[in-house]
Amino acid sequence: MYRWVRIAIVGKYTDLSDAYLSVLKALFHASVVIRKKLVVDMVPSCDLENTTKKEDSRAYEAAWKLLKDANGVLLPGGFGDRGMEGMILAAKYSRENNIPFLGICLGMQIAVIEFARSVLCLPDANSTEFESETKHPCIIFMPEGSTTHMGGTMRLGSRRAYFHVKDSKSARLYENKDFVDERHRHRYEVW
Ligand SMILES: NC(=O)CC[C@H](N)C(=O)O
């Protein structure tokens, strides 16, 4: 048993202290339940990328060390393509090394893109948020949204999601209920 639990949050807003406040609070509550001292390392996703390796090798090494020292990796939400490839690298590293991983919002979409690229052998797989003409769109703009209006196109607030696979890991987390109502805040979804 470790006394500590080290979680790496790999995101693009790591400079903004309150950007991931709710995630930090949730991690803290979870650490109390499992009686471990929580250590959170903020890893700027851009720093995991090859461009940083060339431009600032110390930042690159530091980011990878934090990722490799983590007991768990959390990819939080976000918008736009900056730092996206670094998040994909973090998802790939976690999957290939069996590191407990949680992707929230954008983080979950990133995990889907990474799986499509690495496991389904679709190297061009992407979200249309980052590459509108991608050959293999696996995250797409939601049909109920509008491509022309920026305001009011977000799926916001409570939405019902049904579990199609009984006794899956996520269903078990919700005590095998038939559905859950969770808060949403996004424009894109898994195809
Ligand atoms: N909340 C989020 O992380 C948003 C994810 C993604 N940018 C979308 O709009 O779907």
Side-chain angles (χ1 to χ4, degrees):
M1 280 271 277
Y2 300 107
R3 279 183 55 217
W4 307 81
V5 60
R6 281 196 100 87
I7 303 295
I9 297 186
V10 184
K12 41 205 293 187
Y13 314 125
T14 44
D15 289 345
L16 303 168
S17 60
D18 60 350
Y20 303 123
L21 201 56
S22 58
V23 175
L24 291 170
K25 295 280 180 205
L27 284 174
F28 176 69
H29 282 257
S31 71
V32 170
V33 172
I34 59 165
R35 294 172 174 272
K36 294 201 176 168
K37 189 152 174 53
L38 174 68
V39 181
V40 174
D41 290 314
M42 291 292 188
V43 183
S45 52
C46 294
D47 287 359
L48 297 168
E49 297 173 358
N50 270 333
T51 39
T52 303
K53 187 178 187 177
K54 286 184 211 128
E55 288 161 12
D56 185 350
S57 62
R58 281 174 66 175
Y60 175 84
E61 301 297 340
W64 274 99
K65 178 158 181 9
L66 290 179
L67 185 68
K68 289 182 176 175
D69 285 349
N71 305 122
V73 172
L74 192 151
L75 298 193
F79 292 81
D81 65 352
R82 184 181 64 83
M84 200 269 297
E85 291 299 330
M87 290 176 85
I88 290 183
L89 289 169
K92 184 175 168 68
Y93 178 83
S94 308
R95 185 179 53 74
E96 290 180 343
N97 293 282
N98 270 328
I99 314 288
F101 172 92
L102 178 65
I104 302 175
C105 307
L106 176 68
M108 184 275 289
Q109 298 174 355
I110 292 285
V112 171
I113 297 169
E114 190 280 314
F115 191 85
R117 287 186 186 182
S118 311
V119 182
L120 305 182
C121 301
L122 300 170
D124 303 321
N126 214 337
S127 164
T128 54
E129 179 177 10
F130 313 133
E131 199 187 336
S132 53
E133 299 303 320
T134 176
K135 252 201 285 174
H136 294 113
C138 52
I139 310 294
I140 54 159
F141 195 76
M142 293 181 305
E144 77 221 40
S146 159
T147 37
T148 47
H149 292 90
M150 275 313 280
T153 58
M154 191 99 77
R155 179 181 288 170
L156 262 182
S158 177
R159 187 171 173 105
R160 183 152 294 183
Y162 292 89
F163 292 102
H164 292 296
V165 180
K166 297 285 169 210
D167 212 35
S168 61
K169 268 188 190 163
S170 48
R172 266 181 269 143
L173 282 172
Y174 288 97
E175 298 167 339
N176 280 322
K177 295 200 170 97
D178 291 334
F179 60 82
V180 284
D181 294 314
E182 285 285 19
R183 180 173 175 273
H184 287 244
R185 183 184 172 80
H186 57 117
R187 289 196 178 88
Y188 294 81
E189 67 182 355
V190 178
W191 198 14

